[in-house]
Amino acid sequence: MYKDFQEETNVNNTPQSTEQGATFVVVANRLPVDRIVGEDGEIDWQTAPGGLVTALEPVMRQRGGSWVGWHGAPDEEVEPFEHDGYTIEPVPLSAQEVVEYYEGFSNATLWPLYHDSVAFPEYHREWYEAYEVVNQRFAEKTAQVAAHGATVWVQDYQLQLVPRMLRELRPDLNIGFFLHIPFPPMELFDQLPWRVEMLEGLLGADLVGFQVPGGASNFLRLVRRRTEHRVDRDRAKLVGPDQHTCVARAYPISIDTQGFADLANSPEAIAEAEQLLADLGNPSKVFVGIDRLDYTKGLRQRVRAMGELFSEGTLDPHDTVFLQVATPSRERVDEYRRLRDDIDLLVGRINSEVGGVGRPPIVYLHASFPRATMAAMYRIADVMIVTPLRDGMNLVAKEYIACNPGLDGALVLSEFAGAARELRQAYMVNPYDLNGMKEVVMKAATDSTQNRRRRMRALKKQVSENTIDKWADKFLTDLDAKGDMGKDTNAG
Ligand code: G6P
């Protein structure tokens, strides 16, 4: 079984599973590990991609309980098993459901729509039907594994119908929902032919969490406008036979800051960082980008901006490198294929035009790496470039701050990442403004030591004070309190 950097299990020692079921259940489309069947038929488990898993894995390791999710392979039934101190409860998906529910409705309808329509969302009735069927399956599986009165925490856009379905099956449960991606304004959300179903699905929860206050207020505005329920400040009082209250608030997610810092300071990561630098020819400045290969991440704009800095001679390819890692993602979805080709082409063109024999100015790696290697990359990044066109939070920005040793690193961050609300001392950019982005990248690279350190000190303070533990505690304490969470509202 795959083990990651922290091995301690269920450190608060609270039993979260009994014979009657689990008292704490996380429900997410992804499990923390993906089942991979090799060519020789051998089975392997790998850490699943993305911010959701990075964030929730330490929460589960600490609290124990059950994680209900898909194991990443089609047409396979997998038995529940124990992993790092909690139970994994796999939900199967057929190959057809992977196409319609996962690649289709989740990632070619909702994903682009919720990210400002930076790619065109497609609407197909059969995709939505598959989404309903799969959400019902997740709700039924959860209803089976949850103990009476358990706390169930449903995650992300793939499962927005689950809270309501689950409440119908199990009204005794305490149901929370957290959306990891942006929740769009009414002007965009209204396109969705199933907008009312989606809102009613979420309203099945006692507490719905968003990354930023704007997400919560977009949601409440839509509930007021598109349903008959009564909205009062940060909550909706449901009309109908089941008169519960659904509260909507912002809970900006974070990372296991100490875990990342420890990993980056481990002898292995330090050695790997030295090796990496040597492999890159010991350049005097290293710019780094690490993203899932996703069109929301602003890769086209970033690569163009960096390419221009090299071709104009502002950056010298002999002593500067731009290392860009793009983790393969959703590879069968058309937009992702197009993006891959575009980036290959752009990088190839820049590298063939700039520089000479030897290491190219842009080192582009389309691959996934273990966390220790990522930590080594964060260690060597003099300037980390995080420029999404829209992003719910962006945990890479926070991981960099946790991992980069000392105070001399610099973070360039898009205004359109949720993280920009908290990481105010980053060098902010509008990724659509290429000249502006080039200027800010250069400012980050050449700023005075004093300025850079002042900024990094504030950033490090932010991520060490706001950790994933605090995030989970805050959400779950509010969920336990049901509607009585104080009078303050942060939905504005
Ligand atoms: C984002 C989403 C997650 C998702 C992850 C990886 O972080 O918010 O829900 O799991 O991307 O994407 P994938 O489609 O591979 O699960």
Side-chain angles (χ1 to χ4, degrees), residues 29-30 49-52 102 107 111 156-158 180-181 292 329-330:
N29 174 59
R30 283 266 177 204
L52 181 151
Y102 170 70
N107 290 313
W111 180 267
D156 230 356
Y157 61 101
Q158 304 92 341
H180 292 251
I181 69 173
R292 266 186 319 100
S329 186
R330 306 174 192 165

mmCIF file of all heavy atoms in Angstrom, residues 29-30 49-52 102 107 111 156-158 180-181 292 329-330, ligand 1:
data_model
loop_
_atom_site.group_PDB
_atom_site.id
_atom_site.type_symbol
_atom_site.label_atom_id
_atom_site.label_comp_id
_atom_site.label_asym_id
_atom_site.label_seq_id
_atom_site.Cartn_x
_atom_site.Cartn_y
_atom_site.Cartn_z
ATOM 1 N N ASN A 29 -15.591 12.281 -5.100
ATOM 2 C CA ASN A 29 -15.483 11.469 -6.313
ATOM 3 C C ASN A 29 -14.207 10.647 -6.295
ATOM 4 O O ASN A 29 -14.202 9.467 -6.604
ATOM 5 C CB ASN A 29 -15.513 12.368 -7.549
ATOM 6 C CG ASN A 29 -15.264 11.574 -8.816
ATOM 7 O OD1 ASN A 29 -16.004 10.650 -9.134
ATOM 8 N ND2 ASN A 29 -14.184 11.883 -9.512
ATOM 9 N N ARG A 30 -13.115 11.275 -5.878
ATOM 10 C CA ARG A 30 -11.817 10.588 -5.826
ATOM 11 C C ARG A 30 -11.557 9.977 -4.463
ATOM 12 O O ARG A 30 -11.830 10.607 -3.448
ATOM 13 C CB ARG A 30 -10.694 11.599 -6.015
ATOM 14 C CG ARG A 30 -10.485 12.033 -7.406
ATOM 15 C CD ARG A 30 -9.437 11.193 -8.053
ATOM 16 N NE ARG A 30 -9.306 11.590 -9.446
ATOM 17 C CZ ARG A 30 -8.836 10.779 -10.369
ATOM 18 N NH1 ARG A 30 -8.466 9.553 -10.086
ATOM 19 N NH2 ARG A 30 -8.716 11.191 -11.604
ATOM 20 N N PRO A 49 -4.467 12.559 -8.069
ATOM 21 C CA PRO A 49 -4.047 13.940 -8.333
ATOM 22 C C PRO A 49 -4.984 14.973 -7.712
ATOM 23 O O PRO A 49 -6.123 14.672 -7.388
ATOM 24 C CB PRO A 49 -4.140 14.026 -9.861
ATOM 25 C CG PRO A 49 -5.179 13.031 -10.253
ATOM 26 C CD PRO A 49 -5.093 11.921 -9.240
ATOM 27 N N GLY A 50 -4.471 16.200 -7.571
ATOM 28 C CA GLY A 50 -5.334 17.335 -7.267
ATOM 29 C C GLY A 50 -5.340 17.803 -5.823
ATOM 30 O O GLY A 50 -4.932 17.073 -4.907
ATOM 31 N N GLY A 51 -5.825 19.014 -5.661
ATOM 32 C CA GLY A 51 -5.811 19.688 -4.370
ATOM 33 C C GLY A 51 -6.741 19.058 -3.341
ATOM 34 O O GLY A 51 -6.458 19.078 -2.140
ATOM 35 N N LEU A 52 -7.850 18.492 -3.798
ATOM 36 C CA LEU A 52 -8.814 17.925 -2.853
ATOM 37 C C LEU A 52 -8.154 16.815 -2.023
ATOM 38 O O LEU A 52 -8.250 16.802 -0.795
ATOM 39 C CB LEU A 52 -10.027 17.392 -3.619
ATOM 40 C CG LEU A 52 -11.172 16.781 -2.840
ATOM 41 C CD1 LEU A 52 -12.484 16.963 -3.595
ATOM 42 C CD2 LEU A 52 -10.979 15.310 -2.529
ATOM 43 N N TYR A 102 -18.191 11.541 -15.339
ATOM 44 C CA TYR A 102 -16.905 12.135 -14.915
ATOM 45 C C TYR A 102 -16.325 13.064 -15.991
ATOM 46 O O TYR A 102 -16.157 14.262 -15.776
ATOM 47 C CB TYR A 102 -15.926 11.014 -14.532
ATOM 48 C CG TYR A 102 -14.508 11.495 -14.324
ATOM 49 C CD1 TYR A 102 -14.178 12.278 -13.218
ATOM 50 C CD2 TYR A 102 -13.499 11.179 -15.236
ATOM 51 C CE1 TYR A 102 -12.874 12.752 -13.042
ATOM 52 C CE2 TYR A 102 -12.202 11.635 -15.061
ATOM 53 C CZ TYR A 102 -11.899 12.417 -13.958
ATOM 54 O OH TYR A 102 -10.624 12.888 -13.796
ATOM 55 N N ASN A 107 -16.671 17.293 -15.903
ATOM 56 C CA ASN A 107 -15.477 17.992 -16.382
ATOM 57 C C ASN A 107 -15.587 18.671 -17.744
ATOM 58 O O ASN A 107 -14.648 19.363 -18.151
ATOM 59 C CB ASN A 107 -14.282 17.039 -16.345
ATOM 60 C CG ASN A 107 -13.901 16.771 -14.890
ATOM 61 O OD1 ASN A 107 -13.806 17.705 -14.098
ATOM 62 N ND2 ASN A 107 -13.738 15.506 -14.537
ATOM 63 N N TRP A 111 -17.188 21.919 -14.754
ATOM 64 C CA TRP A 111 -15.848 22.493 -14.527
ATOM 65 C C TRP A 111 -15.654 23.796 -15.311
ATOM 66 O O TRP A 111 -15.344 24.837 -14.722
ATOM 67 C CB TRP A 111 -14.765 21.451 -14.839
ATOM 68 C CG TRP A 111 -13.369 21.949 -14.639
ATOM 69 C CD1 TRP A 111 -12.570 22.516 -15.588
ATOM 70 C CD2 TRP A 111 -12.609 21.945 -13.424
ATOM 71 N NE1 TRP A 111 -11.349 22.865 -15.031
ATOM 72 C CE2 TRP A 111 -11.352 22.528 -13.706
ATOM 73 C CE3 TRP A 111 -12.881 21.515 -12.120
ATOM 74 C CZ2 TRP A 111 -10.357 22.677 -12.743
ATOM 75 C CZ3 TRP A 111 -11.881 21.667 -11.153
ATOM 76 C CH2 TRP A 111 -10.645 22.241 -11.470
ATOM 77 N N ASP A 156 -17.159 18.604 -3.218
ATOM 78 C CA ASP A 156 -16.920 19.078 -4.584
ATOM 79 C C ASP A 156 -18.034 18.867 -5.613
ATOM 80 O O ASP A 156 -19.022 18.174 -5.398
ATOM 81 C CB ASP A 156 -15.571 18.528 -5.097
ATOM 82 C CG ASP A 156 -14.719 19.661 -5.685
ATOM 83 O OD1 ASP A 156 -15.198 20.797 -5.747
ATOM 84 O OD2 ASP A 156 -13.567 19.392 -6.078
ATOM 85 N N TYR A 157 -17.760 19.492 -6.787
ATOM 86 C CA TYR A 157 -18.780 19.683 -7.820
ATOM 87 C C TYR A 157 -19.286 18.388 -8.443
ATOM 88 O O TYR A 157 -20.347 18.368 -9.044
ATOM 89 C CB TYR A 157 -18.202 20.595 -8.934
ATOM 90 C CG TYR A 157 -16.976 20.008 -9.611
ATOM 91 C CD1 TYR A 157 -17.055 19.387 -10.859
ATOM 92 C CD2 TYR A 157 -15.734 20.044 -8.996
ATOM 93 C CE1 TYR A 157 -15.942 18.843 -11.467
ATOM 94 C CE2 TYR A 157 -14.607 19.499 -9.600
ATOM 95 C CZ TYR A 157 -14.718 18.900 -10.825
ATOM 96 O OH TYR A 157 -13.613 18.342 -11.417
ATOM 97 N N GLN A 158 -18.527 17.302 -8.311
ATOM 98 C CA GLN A 158 -18.983 16.043 -8.923
ATOM 99 C C GLN A 158 -20.188 15.462 -8.160
ATOM 100 O O GLN A 158 -20.880 14.595 -8.678
ATOM 101 C CB GLN A 158 -17.862 14.993 -8.926
ATOM 102 C CG GLN A 158 -16.578 15.414 -9.609
ATOM 103 C CD GLN A 158 -15.577 16.042 -8.638
ATOM 104 O OE1 GLN A 158 -15.953 16.487 -7.547
ATOM 105 N NE2 GLN A 158 -14.306 16.086 -9.028
ATOM 106 N N HIS A 180 -14.786 22.800 -3.666
ATOM 107 C CA HIS A 180 -13.355 23.163 -3.778
ATOM 108 C C HIS A 180 -13.093 24.157 -4.903
ATOM 109 O O HIS A 180 -12.017 24.729 -4.975
ATOM 110 C CB HIS A 180 -12.521 21.900 -4.015
ATOM 111 C CG HIS A 180 -12.506 20.988 -2.816
ATOM 112 N ND1 HIS A 180 -11.393 20.810 -2.031
ATOM 113 C CD2 HIS A 180 -13.489 20.241 -2.244
ATOM 114 C CE1 HIS A 180 -11.683 19.974 -1.039
ATOM 115 N NE2 HIS A 180 -12.952 19.617 -1.155
ATOM 116 N N ILE A 181 -14.039 24.301 -5.808
ATOM 117 C CA ILE A 181 -13.819 25.175 -6.971
ATOM 118 C C ILE A 181 -14.704 26.418 -6.823
ATOM 119 O O ILE A 181 -15.529 26.483 -5.903
ATOM 120 C CB ILE A 181 -14.075 24.403 -8.296
ATOM 121 C CG1 ILE A 181 -15.558 24.058 -8.473
ATOM 122 C CG2 ILE A 181 -13.231 23.131 -8.338
ATOM 123 C CD1 ILE A 181 -15.880 23.445 -9.845
ATOM 124 N N ARG A 292 -1.660 20.998 -12.505
ATOM 125 C CA ARG A 292 -2.291 19.978 -13.343
ATOM 126 C C ARG A 292 -2.404 20.597 -14.727
ATOM 127 O O ARG A 292 -2.593 21.821 -14.855
ATOM 128 C CB ARG A 292 -3.702 19.654 -12.838
ATOM 129 C CG ARG A 292 -3.785 18.484 -11.905
ATOM 130 C CD ARG A 292 -5.211 18.102 -11.531
ATOM 131 N NE ARG A 292 -6.052 19.224 -11.277
ATOM 132 C CZ ARG A 292 -6.925 19.732 -12.137
ATOM 133 N NH1 ARG A 292 -7.106 19.181 -13.342
ATOM 134 N NH2 ARG A 292 -7.649 20.776 -11.839
ATOM 135 N N SER A 329 -3.791 15.217 -16.738
ATOM 136 C CA SER A 329 -5.109 15.280 -16.109
ATOM 137 C C SER A 329 -6.199 15.142 -17.158
ATOM 138 O O SER A 329 -6.075 15.709 -18.250
ATOM 139 C CB SER A 329 -5.222 16.644 -15.415
ATOM 140 O OG SER A 329 -6.401 16.729 -14.670
ATOM 141 N N ARG A 330 -7.246 14.382 -16.849
ATOM 142 C CA ARG A 330 -8.468 14.282 -17.688
ATOM 143 C C ARG A 330 -8.111 14.186 -19.175
ATOM 144 O O ARG A 330 -8.624 14.947 -20.014
ATOM 145 C CB ARG A 330 -9.350 15.500 -17.422
ATOM 146 C CG ARG A 330 -9.621 15.651 -15.931
ATOM 147 C CD ARG A 330 -10.353 16.905 -15.553
ATOM 148 N NE ARG A 330 -10.292 17.077 -14.107
ATOM 149 C CZ ARG A 330 -10.582 18.189 -13.464
ATOM 150 N NH1 ARG A 330 -10.990 19.243 -14.115
ATOM 151 N NH2 ARG A 330 -10.482 18.248 -12.145
HETATM 152 C C1 G6P B 1 -9.521 19.667 -8.533
HETATM 153 C C2 G6P B 1 -10.922 19.285 -8.090
HETATM 154 C C3 G6P B 1 -10.929 17.914 -7.439
HETATM 155 C C4 G6P B 1 -10.267 16.896 -8.351
HETATM 156 C C5 G6P B 1 -8.874 17.354 -8.744
HETATM 157 C C6 G6P B 1 -8.171 16.404 -9.710
HETATM 158 O O1 G6P B 1 -8.705 19.877 -7.437
HETATM 159 O O2 G6P B 1 -11.427 20.271 -7.209
HETATM 160 O O3 G6P B 1 -12.253 17.512 -7.172
HETATM 161 O O4 G6P B 1 -10.203 15.638 -7.742
HETATM 162 O O5 G6P B 1 -8.962 18.634 -9.349
HETATM 163 O O6 G6P B 1 -8.969 16.172 -10.818
HETATM 164 P P1 G6P B 1 -9.479 14.708 -11.186
HETATM 165 O O7 G6P B 1 -10.474 14.929 -12.287
HETATM 166 O O8 G6P B 1 -8.260 13.983 -11.619
HETATM 167 O O9 G6P B 1 -10.099 14.111 -9.964
#
